[in-house]
Amino acid sequence: MTKHIQTILAAFALSAAAAPSLAQSAPAKQDHGVLRQTVTQFLTVQAGGLPGQINVTVGAIDPRLNLAACAAPDPFLPNGARAWGKTTVGVRCTAPSPWTVYIPAMVQVQGDYLAAAVPLAQGQVIGPNDVARVRGDLTTLPPGILTESSQAVGYTVARTVAVGAPLRQDALRSQQAVASGQMVRLVSSGPGFKVTSDGRALANGSDGQTIQVRAPNGQVVSGVARLGGLVEVAY
């Protein structure tokens, strides 16, 4: 065997021996399953206070996405995003190789909400039989949906609501508790004292609304209107 051929064979043997070590030294790639799990756990925690059963679905991750493995992927909500309905979650890594990726997801909240059990006319005061509890995905409904009967019963319908339609806060208003110019009973209270007196309301006020009242001595005070012509003043 010539010396030239021996040199070629020796070089080939060295290359073959080095191949496993080169393969072993290639950087590890980020597991997409870990990314999906990170997003799922993050959104589940973020939506934990919502009134209903939470279901998180993580969207597709491009299989061509090739990221260096990260020891501690850090999820976050981009500006304007929230853990509600169709959303996007960012996941970033700082070491050993910095990168950031954005992953689509869906947060569904199955819960009860109130709907009109009968057609509700403008100006109507809602009774217990006028509303029904319905179960559905709260994230598909308009904002301000009511979820408890106490939020609707006793309130006045501000605009017509069709039967079966979800009840929203802006469709109702509190009953008027005090009318402008009406004589009211002022109930002033504070640590260790409670005083009642008469006064005159300076504006209309719904139950729970803050209004101004002129006291007998001419002083104008602010208080919370209550049904029955009461105004509560706290000190």
Side-chain angles (χ1 to χ4, degrees):
M1 183 179 298
T2 66
K3 183 176 181 181
H4 178 67
I5 295 177
Q6 288 177 338
T7 302
I8 294 176
L9 291 176
F12 178 79
L14 287 173
S15 299
S21 61
L22 289 174
Q24 292 174 359
S25 64
K29 302 303 179 182
Q30 178 62 52
D31 184 351
H32 288 188
V34 173
L35 291 179
R36 297 175 66 88
Q37 184 180 10
T38 298
V39 171
T40 299
Q41 292 176 345
F42 173 72
L43 287 176
T44 300
V45 172
Q46 291 293 310
L50 298 177
Q53 181 180 352
I54 299 165
N55 180 50
V56 176
T57 303
V58 180
I61 300 176
D62 190 338
R64 297 170 297 179
L65 186 63
N66 192 9
L67 302 171
C70 185
D74 179 26
F76 64 95
L77 284 174
N79 290 337
R82 58 178 186 157
W84 183 268
K86 187 177 180 180
T87 189
T88 299
V89 175
V91 181
R92 58 192 162 211
C93 182
T94 56
S97 298
W99 50 255
T100 301
V101 64
Y102 295 91
I103 301 173
M106 174 71 75
V107 178
Q108 295 173 302
V109 182
Q110 294 292 327
D112 293 338
Y113 63 93
L114 294 186
V118 296
L120 300 176
Q122 184 177 0
Q124 176 181 344
V125 177
I126 297 178
N129 297 326
D130 295 330
V131 297
R133 297 183 71 85
V134 180
R135 191 164 186 82
D137 182 6
L138 302 183
T139 67
T140 64
L141 300 175
I145 292 297
L146 304 181
T147 58
E148 299 293 338
S149 297
S150 59
Q151 297 173 316
V153 174
Y155 285 71
T156 302
V157 180
R159 62 174 182 269
T160 301
V161 180
V163 61
L167 286 178
R168 298 170 54 177
Q169 284 181 330
D170 58 7
L172 307 178
R173 63 173 182 267
S174 300
Q175 283 184 275
Q176 183 169 298
V178 172
S180 179
Q182 176 185 342
M183 293 300 296
V184 297
R185 193 71 173 165
L186 275 172
V187 180
S188 305
S189 61
F193 77 92
K194 183 175 183 179
V195 179
T196 60
S197 61
D198 293 328
R200 187 175 299 275
L202 300 181
N204 295 331
S206 301
D207 184 36
Q209 183 179 0
T210 299
I211 64 168
Q212 289 188 320
V213 176
R214 189 178 300 280
N217 62 2
Q219 181 184 3
V220 175
V221 298
S222 296
V224 178
R226 296 300 183 191
L227 296 175
L230 298 177
V231 175
E232 299 175 343
V233 180
Y235 290 95

